Amino acid sequence: MGIKRLTFNKTCAVAGTSERLVLPANELRTRSFMLQALPTNTGYIRVGGSDVSLTNGAYLQAKDIYKAVNDVNQDTEAESNLSDVWIVAEIIGEGVNVSYELGDDLDV
């Protein structure tokens, strides 16, 4: 069937509070994903794990991009779980566009 490219927007309901990209019950596994800070953001976004905060994590301003690509040549089981990725916004209602790929061989 091939690879499907999917996207969605994730915004933060509360400024300064970290939120998962995807709830664990809606687990999404992918070999690669990209986050792009929304072009309308006026503050910044931080990206990371469950410990992400306004002072740590990858820093994104409007339109900045964060990419994660797992090297399938090194590890045939390499994949990311989007429920393990968190963001925090400086300003309420700001966020990211999430792009990811699903292939036939990924368990969703």
Side-chain angles (χ1 to χ4, degrees), residues 6-13 17-30 32-38 41 45-52 58 60 66-68 80-89 94-101:
L6 304 164
T7 64
F8 65 91
N9 284 350
K10 168 63 180 165
T11 57
C12 291
T17 300
S18 58
E19 299 181 20
R20 291 179 191 261
L21 285 182
V22 177
L23 294 175
N26 299 322
E27 182 174 280
L28 286 174
R29 295 186 178 277
T30 181
S32 65
F33 67 91
M34 181 180 77
L35 308 180
Q36 182 171 24
L38 297 175
N41 288 355
I45 304 291
R46 293 276 189 161
V47 179
S50 60
D51 63 343
V52 71
L60 301 177
Y66 174 90
K67 288 184 183 180
S80 294
N81 183 345
L82 293 183
S83 68
D84 293 335
V85 181
W86 295 65
I87 64 170
V88 60
E94 296 194 347
V96 295
N97 176 267
V98 181
S99 300
Y100 63 101
E101 295 179 346

